[in-house]
Amino acid sequence: MKELVLLGDEAIGQGALDAGLSGVYAYPGTPSTEICEYIQRSKEAGERNVHAQWSANEKTAMEAGLGMSYAGKRALVCMKHVGLNVAADAFINAGMTGVNGGLVVVVADDPSMHSSQNEQDSRFYGKFAMVPVLEPATQQEAYQMTPYGFALSEKFRLPVMLRITTRLAHSRSAVKRSEVRKENDVRLPADLKQFILLPALARKRYKLLLSTQEKLEMESLDSGLNRLEQEEDTSLGIIACGLSYNYYQEVAADAGLKHPLLKISQYPVPAGLLNDFVKQVDRVVVLEEGAPLMEESLTGILENDYRIGGRLNGLLPRDGELDPLLVKKALGLPVEAVRAVPEIVKNRPPALCKGCSHIDMYNALNEALEPYSPGRVFSDIGCYTLGALPPYNAINSCVDMGASVTMAKGASDAGLRPAVAVIGDSTFTHSGMTGLLDAVVEQTPLTVIISDNSTTGMTGGQKSHATNRLLDICRGIGVEEEHMRVMNPLRKHHEESRMMLSEELAYEGVSVIISQRECIQTAGRRLRKEKSKKAST
């Protein structure tokens, strides 16, 4: 098979297709978005009719993937780390139900928070759910571990988590493909009660899950993914998890280090493997992206004679990505001065695009709120969150997907008038709708602004489930017709927009204003495509 030059995300997508994938379910979120997009663009996926539509949110993606697995097919579910919080109910319970067809859940963590509100480590969720976790170090491993993950899932009848981090997801390397496997046929589970988590059945499933843990440890011992690379200088031993393995390899090659290395890419890790390694070296440095999960498991809560260093004892920073310079410093090697970053490539603060509809909406909202004291606008997560920055300074919260509506409701319940929620169209259908239903049921005084640009703009313009459906959804939820209004966020309509907002801010009930104008970026792409098509005909 020929080699391809792929992002880590793309390598996972290709690996899944070559493993006989029948469907991918995902909600866009950096740094995981490109996995689903790669499969959507794939000619072979199209010819095989592989399901590759975006889901409304990560929970629906997880549940749909579990349903495809129930039917015996192989399914891939993709999300970023905070998306796993949304999918956690289904994910944890999928460990209890087990699977039928192979189910691989890819979770892309974002250490250093390049595009996220936190840098949680998804390996904890894998441990919590007691399912196998794979952690590739390279794009080639990302490709190879995906088919292995499906096979492992079907061998143990459990979902398998594939955990990657930003740097691997978004960097390219040559990837050698393997043979393509045929898709599974539809076949129902041998036990038709397997997926019923009634307490009496769930207790049996839980005992089964517990009894599988030792076998999973043995599997990670035999798979070759956790391997010892023996060297002669035992004054130090390195445990490197996932991508950190690369950083150490680079440092060791430059500095001529000859320390024993234990590479970890599969969890749960047998305690015996770790004990044997630690005993043969004088001290240990643990390199892992994210939280000190491995380091904590070695250190435990009791004192012992082992000398373990890493993120917990300050040898490495407790937060953020690792890199070769940090690894050098942790190993006591001289660190050369870093060249100053040229002005032209320096980090620039994010900003709303010129001509973005959110700008006109915020300008009108800020003016409408002038008669009131500040601190009344609860925002959600998306491009419009940049309204927090000058010159708009228009929002006062951004916590998690869907939180704007429910936080505004809570503040209104506390007596804050007016209370305003700003949410995007895609985020509204992701998890904002249920908060609006709460407000309608209780008739909570609240103004919800759905800033509708007809796309999932923050992650590059994926399809929004809300496009052309917002009025019908709000009507169905029960918002009063006369307080469901559509605003055209253009500078020439500024005064009209401001007045509309002022009227609804004064209303003692639930009102929804849909600020509707196509995203400036997707509009540009659409017009260029239309122009090109016209020119070719």
Side-chain angles (χ1 to χ4, degrees), residues 260-525:
L261 169 75
L262 184 58
K263 178 180 183 291
I264 301 296
S265 285
Q266 185 170 354
Y267 308 80
V269 182
L273 178 69
L274 295 167
N275 269 309
D276 291 347
F277 179 74
V278 171
K279 283 176 184 171
Q280 66 169 287
V281 297
D282 295 339
R283 64 187 180 94
V284 171
V285 169
V286 182
L287 306 175
E288 51 191 329
E289 287 245 277
L293 182 143
M294 179 59 62
E295 190 182 346
E296 274 184 349
S297 69
L298 290 174
T299 308
I301 58 173
L302 301 176
E303 292 183 2
N304 58 42
D305 294 332
Y306 297 144
R307 296 170 62 197
I308 310 292
R311 288 184 182 271
L312 274 181
N313 73 343
L315 198 60
L316 288 159
R318 180 63 181 80
D319 64 328
E321 286 185 296
L322 296 183
D323 61 36
L325 290 180
L326 290 171
V327 172
K328 270 189 177 180
K329 199 172 172 184
L331 298 178
L333 297 169
V335 178
E336 60 273 20
V338 180
R339 284 186 298 175
V341 178
E343 196 64 35
I344 197 169
V345 294
K346 266 190 175 175
N347 284 342
R348 289 166 293 176
L352 291 167
C353 302
K354 286 182 180 175
C356 173
S357 61
H358 303 319
I359 294 175
D360 294 295
M361 181 273 290
Y362 277 132
N363 286 337
L365 178 61
N366 280 346
E367 280 194 27
L369 282 168
E370 279 177 2
Y372 308 97
S373 59
R376 298 168 180 278
V377 182
F378 300 87
S379 175
D380 229 293
I381 296 173
C383 298
Y384 46 90
T385 313
L386 299 175
L389 304 175
Y392 317 107
N393 302 311
I395 66 169
N396 306 107
S397 77
C398 169
V399 178
D400 62 75
M401 295 282 274
S404 60
V405 181
T406 33
M407 284 186 70
K409 182 189 179 301
S412 179
D413 291 341
L416 185 71
R417 302 282 195 282
V420 183
V422 174
I423 189 167
D425 50 311
S426 180
T427 310
F428 179 71
T429 49
H430 176 283
S431 49
M433 296 191 299
T434 44
L436 181 60
L437 181 60
D438 280 349
V440 168
V441 167
E442 296 183 38
Q443 275 302 295
T444 311
L446 164 79
T447 304
V448 176
I449 300 169
I450 305 176
S451 200
D452 174 17
N453 58 8
S454 304
T455 190
T456 312
M458 192 71 155
T459 45
Q462 293 78 24
K463 184 181 174 185
S464 165
H465 279 43
T467 302
N468 300 324
R469 293 186 175 89
L470 286 170
L471 282 171
D472 287 342
I473 292 170
C474 293
R475 193 173 288 121
I477 285 173
V479 179
E480 296 170 82
E481 196 73 33
E482 59 270 34
H483 292 287
M484 203 165 53
R485 303 174 70 173
V486 178
M487 186 172 94
N488 187 348
L490 280 170
R491 195 175 301 173
K492 64 183 179 182
H493 299 306
H494 176 79
E495 188 54 25
E496 182 186 333
S497 299
R498 186 197 64 76
M499 286 181 62
M500 183 188 294
L501 285 160
S502 295
E503 289 166 10
E504 296 306 326
L505 290 176
Y507 175 59
E508 275 287 308
V510 179
S511 60
V512 173
I513 296 174
I514 300 170
S515 173
Q516 205 287 317
R517 180 153 63 85
E518 186 178 3
C519 168
I520 197 78
Q521 296 294 337
T522 59
R525 286 199 291 269

Side-chain angles (χ1 to χ4, degrees), residues 30-44:
T30 306
S32 69
T33 309
E34 291 82 358
I35 303 170
C36 188
E37 286 184 333
Y38 182 82
I39 296 171
Q40 288 172 336
R41 289 196 308 269
S42 166
K43 186 180 173 188
E44 57 198 282

Side-chain angles (χ1 to χ4, degrees), residues 196-206:
I196 304 172
L197 291 184
L198 283 168
L201 298 170
R203 283 192 281 271
K204 291 179 185 173
R205 294 293 312 174
Y206 188 49

Side-chain angles (χ1 to χ4, degrees), residues 66-328:
L66 189 61
M68 179 166 274
S69 164
Y70 174 91
K73 297 269 190 174
R74 288 186 166 186
L76 186 71
V77 181
C78 312
M79 62 196 73
K80 67 181 297 180
H81 59 304
V82 289
L84 186 53
N85 298 335
V86 179
D89 196 10
F91 176 74
I92 300 293
N93 284 332
M96 291 282 288
T97 64
V99 303
N100 187 25
L103 179 61
V104 172
V105 182
V106 184
V107 189
D109 290 354
D110 187 19
S112 286
M113 294 177 265
H114 295 284
S115 182
S116 307
Q117 59 270 48
N118 72 31
E119 59 171 40
Q120 68 192 45
D121 189 326
S122 297
R123 292 178 298 170
F124 284 105
Y125 268 113
K127 188 176 179 184
F128 185 20
M130 292 186 281
V131 301
V133 177
L134 305 177
E135 192 179 15
T138 64
Q139 286 77 6
Q140 183 68 47
E141 284 191 352
Y143 172 82
Q144 290 172 328
M145 283 187 194
T146 306
Y148 172 68
F150 281 115
L152 186 66
S153 174
E154 290 178 352
K155 179 176 180 179
F156 288 97
R157 298 288 169 191
L158 286 172
V160 170
M161 177 190 285
L162 183 63
R163 185 245 187 179
I164 56 173
T165 52
T166 309
R167 202 62 57 176
L168 177 61
H170 285 172
S171 55
R172 290 187 184 277
S173 179
V175 171
K176 188 174 181 182
R177 290 178 64 184
S178 305
E179 294 298 318
V180 179
R181 179 188 180 277
K182 182 177 167 290
E183 290 181 38
N184 290 349
D185 294 326
V186 170
R187 53 180 166 79
L188 295 181
D191 176 8
L192 287 176
K193 294 183 177 177
Q194 176 186 334
F195 289 79
I196 304 172
L197 291 184
L198 283 168
L201 298 170
R203 283 192 281 271
K204 291 179 185 173
R205 294 293 312 174
Y206 188 49
K207 286 182 188 296
L208 180 63
L209 182 60
L210 288 170
S211 70
T212 309
Q213 298 306 301
E214 192 175 339
K215 295 173 189 167
L216 293 178
E217 288 187 9
M218 293 309 298
E219 178 73 21
S220 71
L221 193 62
D222 297 336
S223 68
L225 298 181
N226 296 336
R227 66 169 185 265
L228 173 64
E229 297 182 6
Q230 192 66 60
E231 295 283 359
E232 60 268 23
D233 184 357
T234 58
S235 62
L236 179 66
I238 307 294
I239 296 178
C241 305
L243 185 64
S244 306
Y245 173 79
N246 285 344
Y247 298 141
Y248 176 72
Q249 292 290 55
E250 183 177 330
V251 170
D254 285 348
L257 301 181
K258 298 290 182 185
H259 300 299
L261 169 75
L262 184 58
K263 178 180 183 291
I264 301 296
S265 285
Q266 185 170 354
Y267 308 80
V269 182
L273 178 69
L274 295 167
N275 269 309
D276 291 347
F277 179 74
V278 171
K279 283 176 184 171
Q280 66 169 287
V281 297
D282 295 339
R283 64 187 180 94
V284 171
V285 169
V286 182
L287 306 175
E288 51 191 329
E289 287 245 277
L293 182 143
M294 179 59 62
E295 190 182 346
E296 274 184 349
S297 69
L298 290 174
T299 308
I301 58 173
L302 301 176
E303 292 183 2
N304 58 42
D305 294 332
Y306 297 144
R307 296 170 62 197
I308 310 292
R311 288 184 182 271
L312 274 181
N313 73 343
L315 198 60
L316 288 159
R318 180 63 181 80
D319 64 328
E321 286 185 296
L322 296 183
D323 61 36
L325 290 180
L326 290 171
V327 172
K328 270 189 177 180

